[in-house]
Amino acid sequence: MSPSRRDAAANSPATDAPATPALSTTASLDLRTVSEAEFGDWLKAVNIGFLRPPVVSENDLAARLANSDLARTQGVFDSGRCVATFRSFAQELTVVGGAAIPTSAVTNVTVSPTHRRRGLLSRMMANDLAAAKERGEVAATLIAAEYPIYGRYGFGPATWTAEWEVDTARSGLDPRWSGPEDGGRIELADSEDVRKLGPELFERFRAAQPGAVSRSARRWDLETGAARRDDHPWTEPFWAVYRSAAGEVEGLAAYHADETWTDAKQPLNTAKVRELLGLNPAAERALWHFVCSVDWITKVRTGYRAPDDLLPLLLPDPRAARMVTHADFLWLRVLDVVRALEARTYATSGTLVLDVKDASGLSSGRYRLDADRSGATCTPTTERADLVLDVRELGTLYLGDESAVRLAALGLADEETAGAAARADALLRTPRRAWCPDMF
């Protein structure tokens, strides 16, 4: 149920590496939290940064204002005009083992094209990360529109995403399929049904999915049409619900379909999946088989999925699923190393001393991790380090999706003790990859 990719990405295409100002001086730029009276101008600046028309309707202004924390909304103003934007909000992130940690979700980051490379993003980011640390948030998260920008602020790519296009005729699935073979069933639903059953289903899903983030009530209203935005016209999707043999809701899918026919009156319709959540493989299998067997659908675009999603191997011919996207997705910045490492679980027992480098000073230090299957303790230490790495690499490793051995091979982590990277992998890596299904 991701909103528009252009709308949700954390940052505009502008970077802000310091350079000589071309127009006004940096000293003339006023960085401050945004007032209610300034919020409309701030939203226009957001639109400019994302190359959208620089207008905001009264309806969208009222709705966005009601759902934004102005204390966490920053703007840079030049002679009264907003030229840079930054916002964060409270979020929960599911970590390995199912615990949810409090995080600061960063979004709506832009610098207008007239004011790039003056350090504006750096100033706003420093303010927000310091405030998040003070509030006790364990980490910060974002979805990066461009890869190179956020590493210098301590963020590392913690999850990746993939999308497939399925040729349904080639898939090998039985086109005469009429329902799950496990005693479950597929039911069509409408948005009103989903507003009732969706939030509970998602909470059960995210409790078991490292990398998933919390969804607000506003999010569900937007995704089901109860709330509308003028800049994103609403189109009702098809909703499909999977119920187990016991009648329990264990899966949900939402998709749109185009209407394309050949001159010979043959259907060439494509279904575009907006959301497909399954609490177990049986639910996923049934929902994918359903979408791929809808009459007239010849191609299915899966939407963003985990890179190790089951879908290709659910097909009798996995080659029918052609990967069309593979990219970084959720970026993570650890703010409290001790709480972060103690929050997640570990598949084996071990001890690891990490020397974490952080130019901002927010998370730098040496930490001893003692972990086993019952839990972990993490304490500051003066012991010799086993592994030295930047806080951004810690963020990349944290959800278990990356290999410390690979980072060491790339020169992004240094082994002070022989075999430390392999020990880190044994402790931190997970059998299935972390995945975040949501833009924000």
Side-chain angles (χ1 to χ4, degrees):
M1 283 192 197
S2 297
S4 154
R5 295 175 191 174
R6 290 196 325 174
D7 182 64
N11 62 85
S12 77
T15 59
D16 73 342
T20 302
L23 298 175
S24 55
T25 65
T26 301
S28 70
L29 303 176
D30 184 15
L31 167 59
R32 60 178 182 265
T33 55
V34 176
S35 70
E36 184 173 335
E38 295 168 328
F39 192 70
D41 290 336
W42 183 89
L43 280 178
K44 289 179 183 178
V46 171
N47 286 346
I48 289 170
F50 284 106
L51 299 179
R52 295 195 296 258
V55 294
V56 180
S57 71
E58 291 299 321
N59 177 58
D60 285 349
L61 173 59
R64 296 285 293 274
L65 181 59
N67 290 277
S68 297
D69 182 352
L70 293 184
R72 299 176 67 153
T73 303
Q74 300 181 71
V76 178
F77 294 83
D78 187 353
S79 302
R81 182 185 184 90
C82 188
V83 296
T85 64
F86 191 111
R87 183 172 72 89
S88 68
F89 61 93
Q91 186 186 69
E92 288 186 345
L93 170 70
T94 303
V95 303
V96 178
I101 60 171
T103 59
S104 177
V106 174
T107 189
N108 296 145
V109 179
T110 74
V111 177
S112 294
T114 53
H115 287 72
R116 295 176 300 161
R117 296 179 175 84
R118 306 187 195 189
L120 303 186
L121 172 54
S122 295
R123 292 168 61 192
M124 293 187 294
M125 182 66 78
N127 287 349
D128 196 75
L129 292 179
K133 176 89 170 182
E134 182 68 22
R135 285 190 297 265
E137 288 159 337
V138 176
T141 57
L142 56 82
I143 311 295
E146 290 186 73
Y147 194 98
I149 296 175
Y150 288 100
R152 67 179 185 266
Y153 303 119
F155 288 84
T159 78
W160 288 64
T161 195
E163 182 175 15
W164 288 267
E165 182 177 270
V166 179
D167 182 337
T168 59
R170 183 182 171 185
S171 69
L173 294 171
D174 183 357
R176 301 167 298 173
W177 185 80
S178 59
E181 295 79 14
D182 60 1
R185 65 183 187 275
I186 301 290
E187 298 176 350
L188 294 180
D190 58 29
S191 290
E192 185 176 353
D193 298 324
V194 173
R195 279 194 291 276
K196 297 173 183 175
L197 62 87
E200 180 182 359
L201 175 71
F202 181 77
E203 287 304 302
R204 293 170 65 193
F205 167 82
R206 81 171 176 105
Q209 178 58 64
V213 296
S214 52
R215 290 181 180 176
S216 65
R218 167 74 174 172
R219 173 78 180 233
W220 282 104
D221 285 345
L222 287 169
E223 296 293 351
T224 58
R228 308 286 176 92
R229 286 179 54 177
D230 293 341
D231 57 346
H232 291 291
W234 167 252
T235 301
E236 180 84 10
F238 299 99
W239 298 100
V241 173
Y242 169 82
R243 290 185 183 272
S244 68
E248 296 293 322
V249 174
E250 294 183 349
L252 174 69
Y255 62 96
H256 294 281
D258 62 13
E259 189 173 358
T260 305
W261 292 71
T262 70
D263 292 338
K265 297 186 68 176
Q266 295 296 315
L268 290 175
N269 298 292
T270 298
K272 295 183 178 180
V273 176
R274 286 178 47 182
E275 172 95 301
L276 193 147
L277 299 174
L279 299 185
N280 50 58
E284 288 186 55
R285 181 188 297 273
L287 287 168
W288 282 124
H289 201 157
F290 170 76
V291 175
C292 290
S293 66
V294 173
D295 286 347
W296 301 353
I297 298 298
T298 59
K299 293 189 183 300
V300 172
R301 280 269 183 159
T302 65
Y304 284 171
R305 309 294 303 170
D308 62 347
D309 195 88
L310 299 178
L311 170 64
L313 298 181
L314 290 176
L315 306 177
D317 184 352
R319 294 183 184 180
R322 177 176 64 93
M323 184 178 284
V324 294
T325 300
H326 180 259
D328 56 283
F329 198 69
L330 181 77
W331 288 58
L332 178 68
R333 206 273 189 218
V334 176
L335 294 170
D336 188 326
V337 176
V338 170
R339 290 173 63 201
L341 292 178
E342 290 185 343
R344 57 159 290 171
T345 59
Y346 301 85
T348 189
S349 300
T351 297
L352 194 68
V353 178
L354 300 173
D355 191 347
V356 179
K357 306 298 183 182
D358 185 352
S360 74
L362 292 171
S363 303
S364 54
R366 192 167 294 177
Y367 304 90
R368 177 188 169 106
L369 173 67
D370 292 285
D372 59 34
R373 297 192 178 195
S374 65
T377 59
C378 181
T379 54
T381 184
T382 57
E383 296 178 47
R384 178 187 175 189
D386 295 314
L387 196 66
V388 181
L389 71 173
D390 192 89
V391 68
R392 64 179 174 265
E393 274 65 62
L394 180 61
T396 295
L397 293 172
Y398 179 62
L399 293 177
D401 193 57
E402 184 52 271
S403 162
V405 171
R406 289 213 321 170
L407 295 183
L410 292 166
L412 298 175
D414 294 324
E415 287 187 310
E416 297 293 305
T417 303
R423 283 195 286 128
D425 280 353
L427 284 169
L428 297 170
R429 296 208 78 181
T430 55
R432 293 292 304 274
R433 299 185 70 173
W435 177 47
C436 178
D438 291 335
M439 284 277 194
F440 55 87

